[in-house]
Amino acid sequence: MNPTVSRVTQRIIERSRDSRAAYLAKIEKARSKKVHRSQLACGNLAHGFAACGQDDKASLTSMIKSNIGIVTSYNDMLSAHQPYETYPEQIKAALHSVGAVGQVAAGVPAMCDGVTQGQDGMELSLMSREVIAMSAAVGLSHNMFDGALYLGVCDKIVPGLFMAAMSFGHLPTLFVPAGPMPSGLPNKEKVRVRQLYAEGKLGRDALLEAEAASYHAPGTCTFYGTANSNQMVIEVMGLHLPGSSFVQPDMPLRAALTDAAARQVTRMTETSGNYMPVGRMVDEKVIVNGIIALLATGGSTNHTMHLVAMARAAGIHINWDDFSDLSDVVPLMCRIYPNGPADINHFQAAGGVPVLVKELLKGGLLHEDVETVAGHGLSRYTQEPFLEEGKLVYRPGPEKSHDSNVIASFASPFESHGGTKVLTGNLGRAVMKTSAVPADNQIIEAPAVVFHSQHDVVPAFEAGKLDKDCVVVVRYQGPRAIGMPELHKLMPPLGVLMDRGLKVALVTDGRLSGASGKVPSAIHVTPEAYSGGLLAKVRDGDMVRVNGKTGELTLLVDEAELASRELVHPDLSELHDGSGREMFAALREQLSGAEEGASCIKFY
């Protein structure tokens, strides 16, 4: 093992010793040596299977066969979740084939940042993760189930489902992906059209045509944002079947993998004799493997919050120092948009997860000795699934990448360090996705231009007020202020300024996620302005230094001057009402800071 990976892992183990022990004791207490429904009174059980067919009623009455809870994020508005419409019936049939039963335990909400960006609804996005976790918990609380299958793909959905899975960590569990849509308009062309629109050189019709050519079919968006980062991280953590993350929705192999996932969870239940609960499977080594998968691929910065909250749900404490130390030794192995021109389908064609895992294992960067849903040992994830005469088989994955412009070898990576940098200074702590930012743009020292709303930036751009070297500060966007929306609408105008040769950076306590591109962006600033962070004292014209290479985020103002300044407290009341935001007031006020996972759920 790489010594830094070993050291960070051991540090996490020591830090988490008491909370992890408490968590394992909790899930052991929840374990049942018999099927869980045997604990229910007759009236409880009758309610639990009243809507089942006669065969399933007989099976559930027998107290022998396992009952698997299905938690689905299906809706038919969002492309990534539309394929799940037919999964429950397919999964039930697969479970019947191995003598088990399946019931849909819960449906959870699934919202899309792509639909809501720049809209009021985006301010519910991060908090939807907590709602998803709690919704899944409500469904599983009926104590009818001996295992669980989680159907989810996108931004907050998978982290929320994961948190629920850890809460019910005594249950054997698999995550079941749905796959990406086929490739559409190249991402580079999409960005070009967006910037032309921002400059007023193209109309809305041309913009919509380009967007519709990019997002055009069922499946996950093909760029490497949070949705595909979710799939990458969950597979390398051993919670998907090997090679299943990036198979497209309409392929026969996709259906075969879904059937196999249903059958596999029954092999891990108490009645199988090979009991393996997900809470025991996900340990400190598995969490570190997830972080390394994120860093090696230049994945979504959202996971600097999500993985913290996800780990906490299993009694494991990680922080941004862990990300930073690992990033120093984990090379950037992938070029997937926005880190390069390729999309996730190109990644899959180049060898996908099997090649990536093989290279990272070769470099001593992943823990191989872990439990996975496919059995012991992460080397199982160097195998690739195929159909032979209609049957699912696994073969050794490719020995090396089929396209070294998309997946590099460990010996010749794209960069010697990971794609995420932690920034520290008197403004607090922040993260930057450096993998998408050219090296000569990662350092900027320029006067601040301060905004309290993302909606004020574009008018300022259009008025020419940003036609200079500047650090655009967008504050009061943090978790407790307005729910920490993503600020994607800022990227086209700021990208235009950079194309004009100006030095520009963004500093914000809001989010950008995996879709952040070439603009150097210090995001997730913590403490946030709303909670008294120094960000609340920045004034127009103050010099700010952002250094993505050394990890510095500094307000270059004399300490005595800063001490004399009052904190700015804008009225945010209008941002707390409408589009359902008023219903989230109590939850929003309880959110922790970004480095603590931006969560209101108190695990450990």
Side-chain angles (χ1 to χ4, degrees), residues 449-466 472-475 477 487 489-491 493-494 497 504 506:
V449 184
V450 182
F451 299 91
H452 293 163
S453 170
Q454 62 173 316
H455 305 297
D456 295 333
V457 177
V458 172
F461 164 78
E462 293 173 341
K465 296 180 180 179
L466 301 180
V472 175
V473 175
V474 186
R475 62 191 179 193
Q477 308 298 300
L487 308 178
K489 68 180 296 181
L490 305 185
M491 291 298 98
L494 297 184
L497 296 175
V504 180
L506 173 67

Side-chain angles (χ1 to χ4, degrees), residues 193-422:
V193 172
R194 284 178 175 176
Q195 291 196 178
L196 288 173
Y197 177 77
E199 293 180 276
K201 295 178 180 178
L202 280 180
R204 183 177 173 85
D205 288 347
L207 177 64
L208 182 56
E209 182 179 356
E211 298 287 358
S214 299
Y215 311 115
H216 62 98
T220 314
C221 305
T222 59
F223 67 87
Y224 195 46
T226 308
N228 286 319
S229 296
N230 283 340
Q231 307 310 296
M232 187 80 73
V233 168
I234 290 294
E235 182 165 336
V236 178
M237 290 173 73
L239 296 173
H240 281 169
L241 287 182
S244 65
S245 293
F246 303 117
V247 177
Q248 291 176 6
D250 59 350
M251 297 181 69
L253 181 58
R254 173 86 279 153
L257 286 163
T258 299
D259 287 346
R263 294 191 296 267
Q264 185 65 14
V265 75
T266 67
R267 301 185 181 108
M268 301 156 62
T269 60
E270 192 77 61
T271 56
S272 73
N274 298 298
Y275 178 61
M276 177 50 67
V278 69
R280 200 166 74 204
M281 181 184 298
V282 175
D283 62 9
E284 294 89 346
K285 292 179 180 179
V286 167
I287 294 293
V288 168
N289 283 351
I291 297 174
I292 289 169
L294 181 78
L295 296 172
T297 57
S300 170
T301 51
N302 273 330
H303 273 292
T304 61
M305 292 183 296
H306 292 329
L307 278 167
V308 173
M310 291 159 66
R312 188 70 62 93
I316 299 168
H317 290 251
I318 61 174
N319 59 38
W320 286 355
D321 290 331
D322 301 325
F323 283 84
S324 184
D325 289 353
L326 291 172
S327 189
D328 286 341
V329 299
V330 175
L332 183 64
M333 301 284 292
C334 296
R335 287 288 190 198
I336 321 171
Y337 185 84
N339 305 331
D343 68 15
I344 200 67
N345 293 313
H346 297 128
F347 168 81
Q348 179 76 351
V353 174
V355 165
L356 176 68
V357 170
K358 185 172 292 186
E359 291 293 334
L360 291 173
L361 285 172
K362 189 187 303 182
L365 293 172
L366 290 174
H367 294 283
E368 202 281 332
D369 59 330
V370 294
E371 298 295 336
T372 78
V373 297
H376 185 78
L378 194 62
S379 58
R380 293 174 182 270
Y381 285 73
T382 64
Q383 297 182 312
E384 190 173 7
F386 292 92
L387 284 180
E388 284 185 0
E389 298 180 355
K391 293 185 178 180
L392 179 66
V393 298
Y394 276 90
R395 304 174 192 159
E399 285 300 314
K400 62 179 182 178
S401 170
H402 293 307
D403 188 343
S404 59
N405 293 316
V406 179
I407 306 176
S409 67
F410 176 77
S412 301
F414 296 114
E415 300 284 351
S416 61
H417 55 85
T420 300
K421 188 72 175 178
V422 177

Side-chain angles (χ1 to χ4, degrees), residues 25-40:
K26 182 192 83 167
I27 65 171
E28 180 62 26
K29 183 178 179 181
R31 178 182 181 180
S32 173
K33 298 297 180 68
K34 301 177 181 178
V35 294
H36 281 269
R37 63 187 179 276
S38 65
Q39 302 171 27
L40 300 179

Side-chain angles (χ1 to χ4, degrees), residues 16-267:
S16 309
R17 191 170 299 282
D18 291 344
S19 56
R20 181 63 176 169
Y23 173 78
L24 291 174
K26 182 192 83 167
I27 65 171
E28 180 62 26
K29 183 178 179 181
R31 178 182 181 180
S32 173
K33 298 297 180 68
K34 301 177 181 178
V35 294
H36 281 269
R37 63 187 179 276
S38 65
Q39 302 171 27
L40 300 179
C42 293
N44 302 141
L45 184 58
H47 277 83
F49 62 48
C52 293
Q54 290 303 315
D55 289 344
D56 280 354
K57 283 183 178 179
S59 295
L60 293 174
T61 301
S62 72
M63 301 300 170
I64 296 173
K65 295 184 178 182
S66 294
N67 187 24
I68 306 302
I70 303 165
V71 180
T72 177
S73 59
Y74 164 72
N75 67 56
D76 67 4
M77 184 191 72
L78 302 182
S79 62
H81 296 90
Q82 186 274 340
Y84 285 133
E85 179 178 12
T86 59
Y87 274 42
E89 291 309 311
Q90 179 185 346
I91 287 169
K92 290 176 186 180
L95 291 169
H96 286 155
S97 73
V98 290
V101 180
Q103 292 179 291
V104 175
V108 303
M111 67 179 294
C112 176
D113 292 2
V115 176
T116 58
Q117 60 182 276
Q119 307 297 315
D120 293 347
M122 171 60 86
E123 293 164 19
L124 301 184
S125 176
L126 182 60
M127 290 184 284
S128 76
R129 184 191 66 190
E130 319 300 280
V131 175
I132 290 159
M134 291 186 281
S135 299
V138 169
L140 293 171
S141 68
H142 294 98
N143 204 25
M144 285 282 294
F145 307 108
D146 308 298
L149 294 169
Y150 292 91
L151 316 184
V153 176
C154 285
D155 294 13
K156 316 308 169 296
I157 295 90
V158 169
L161 292 176
F162 185 100
M163 291 160 70
M166 293 305 106
S167 184
F168 287 79
H170 60 286
L171 297 179
T173 292
L174 267 82
F175 284 73
V176 185
M181 67 177 68
S183 300
L185 186 74
N187 286 296
K188 187 175 182 180
E189 175 63 12
K190 176 184 65 178
V191 172
R192 186 187 73 85
V193 172
R194 284 178 175 176
Q195 291 196 178
L196 288 173
Y197 177 77
E199 293 180 276
K201 295 178 180 178
L202 280 180
R204 183 177 173 85
D205 288 347
L207 177 64
L208 182 56
E209 182 179 356
E211 298 287 358
S214 299
Y215 311 115
H216 62 98
T220 314
C221 305
T222 59
F223 67 87
Y224 195 46
T226 308
N228 286 319
S229 296
N230 283 340
Q231 307 310 296
M232 187 80 73
V233 168
I234 290 294
E235 182 165 336
V236 178
M237 290 173 73
L239 296 173
H240 281 169
L241 287 182
S244 65
S245 293
F246 303 117
V247 177
Q248 291 176 6
D250 59 350
M251 297 181 69
L253 181 58
R254 173 86 279 153
L257 286 163
T258 299
D259 287 346
R263 294 191 296 267
Q264 185 65 14
V265 75
T266 67
R267 301 185 181 108

